[in-house]
Amino acid sequence: MNEARRRLGLGGIGLCLIGTGFWAVALIVAPHLIMIDVSLRPALTLSEMGGPKDHWQLANYLDLVLDPLSRGVFFKTIWASILITLVSLAVCYPVAFYLAKLASGGALRVLMLLLIVPFWINEILRTFAWQLLLAQKGLINAALLGLGLIPDPIAFTRGHTGVLIGMTYAYILFMVFPMYSAMESLDRNQIEAARDLGASWWRIHRCIVIPHAKPGIASGCIVTFMLAAGSFAVPQILGGVDSLWFTQLIYNRFNVSDWNQGAAYAVGLEILCLLFVLAMMRLFRVGLSDIAR
């Protein structure tokens, strides 16, 4: 009986490994290899495919580097994504610490619900809600005008402001919960001991909380940056003509049947995101196993 159970368990593990391997190859590795192959080939007609012109080249990647519009939008997207990540970190760090170490019982449950419930609504609908709030005749402008803080309505949705606000809100949970999970495992006695020894709150966070929460901070920054850099709906809805996002350029390239150039742009963005992941891991001195925890 025990031998049969052992074999059944090994068989189940084997099926799980086979299923995982198939999923990884069919849905992750193979599509990426196809996209890289497409990005290295020129845009050809059906009759030209397989002919002498159909060979690998870097023309599509050179277009990203040499075209002023594409290059400018690419770097603007990266810097804006970094800014969104930093703003999210500054906003979410005190929230995560309060949830992990100060709130308890009913207060903790209520705060968790307040964070989670809005995200039961689709991201597109939440983004349209922000469009209504940020419109020139929206609630925020009406409140600012009513308080006499501004003489004229602010055009939030004609520049970068609306996009930055919308993205910071859209991905706030992806920054809060990794840090909350990391801080929750910190022994409260360490904080109390540091306070008893006269350490300031800044020193407690710098020497105790932040070093302990580094994997959560790194994970939150990585996920937030990648979601912001790869977002399409938020800049499409909340951004104006002057707030073109790189994902919109990728969409336009694919939409006009220039799939080769669109694939090159997508690969370039993916490489940049990978470099950001490695930079965060090096900055916080954490490994993949630390982030996975």
Side-chain angles (χ1 to χ4, degrees), residues 43-51 54:
L44 302 173
T45 62
L46 288 175
S47 60
E48 292 175 323
M49 291 183 179
D54 192 6

Side-chain angles (χ1 to χ4, degrees), residues 30-43 56-64 70 74 246-272:
H32 277 77
L33 292 177
I34 293 172
M35 186 169 66
I36 293 172
D37 177 68
V38 171
S39 71
L40 291 170
R41 297 185 183 277
W56 282 3
Q57 53 184 291
L58 297 176
N60 296 316
Y61 291 93
L62 289 175
D63 181 81
L64 171 59
S70 300
F74 179 78
F246 194 67
T247 48
Q248 293 172 289
L249 280 185
I250 296 174
Y251 173 81
N252 291 335
R253 293 298 185 274
F254 277 102
N255 202 37
V256 298
S257 299
D258 194 354
W259 284 29
N260 303 86
Q261 198 173 78
Y265 282 21
V267 172
L269 182 61
E270 194 167 22
I271 291 173
L272 192 282

Side-chain angles (χ1 to χ4, degrees), residues 268-284:
L269 182 61
E270 194 167 22
I271 291 173
L272 192 282
C273 289
L274 178 60
L275 293 176
F276 183 84
V277 171
L278 297 176
M280 288 296 99
M281 292 172 62
R282 184 174 181 83
L283 176 64
F284 290 101

Side-chain angles (χ1 to χ4, degrees), residues 1-212:
M1 181 65 70
N2 291 334
E3 182 66 20
R5 289 180 177 177
R6 187 180 68 84
R7 291 181 179 179
L8 184 61
L10 291 176
I13 293 173
L15 288 175
C16 288
L17 291 176
I18 292 173
T20 303
F22 175 80
W23 176 82
V25 172
L27 300 180
I28 299 178
V29 177
H32 277 77
L33 292 177
I34 293 172
M35 186 169 66
I36 293 172
D37 177 68
V38 171
S39 71
L40 291 170
R41 297 185 183 277
L44 302 173
T45 62
L46 288 175
S47 60
E48 292 175 323
M49 291 183 179
K53 296 181 180 179
D54 192 6
H55 59 85
W56 282 3
Q57 53 184 291
L58 297 176
N60 296 316
Y61 291 93
L62 289 175
D63 181 81
L64 171 59
V65 177
L66 299 178
D67 181 52
L69 174 62
S70 300
R71 185 176 64 248
V73 173
F74 179 78
F75 285 111
K76 187 207 70 176
T77 300
I78 300 309
W79 284 115
S81 300
I82 293 174
L83 177 60
I84 291 167
T85 303
L86 293 175
V87 172
S88 299
L89 177 60
V91 171
C92 296
Y93 180 87
V95 175
F97 180 77
Y98 183 83
L99 292 173
K101 292 302 163 193
L102 300 179
S104 61
L108 177 60
R109 288 191 290 270
V110 170
L111 290 173
M112 283 291 189
L113 283 175
L114 290 175
L115 281 172
I116 295 173
V117 168
F119 288 83
W120 291 354
I121 303 172
N122 184 272
E123 180 183 348
I124 304 294
L125 296 179
R126 285 187 278 113
T127 305
F128 275 116
W130 271 109
Q131 186 183 46
L132 295 175
L133 291 173
L134 297 172
Q136 288 193 334
K137 295 183 179 180
L139 182 61
I140 294 178
N141 269 316
L144 294 175
L145 288 170
L147 294 172
L149 298 177
I150 56 174
D152 298 302
I154 300 174
F156 289 110
T157 57
R158 289 186 181 178
H160 307 309
T161 306
V163 177
L164 296 178
I165 294 173
M167 284 198 182
T168 301
Y169 174 77
Y171 307 128
I172 192 171
L173 286 187
F174 297 97
M175 182 67 78
V176 167
F177 283 117
M179 290 194 292
Y180 166 77
S181 179
M183 292 177 184
E184 192 180 28
S185 62
L186 175 63
D187 188 356
R188 193 189 300 266
N189 292 326
Q190 295 185 41
I191 299 175
E192 295 298 331
R195 291 180 63 184
D196 292 340
L197 293 172
S200 63
W201 270 112
W202 162 244
R203 191 168 185 182
I204 290 173
H205 283 275
R206 181 171 60 88
C207 299
I208 298 176
V209 181
I210 293 177
H212 183 85

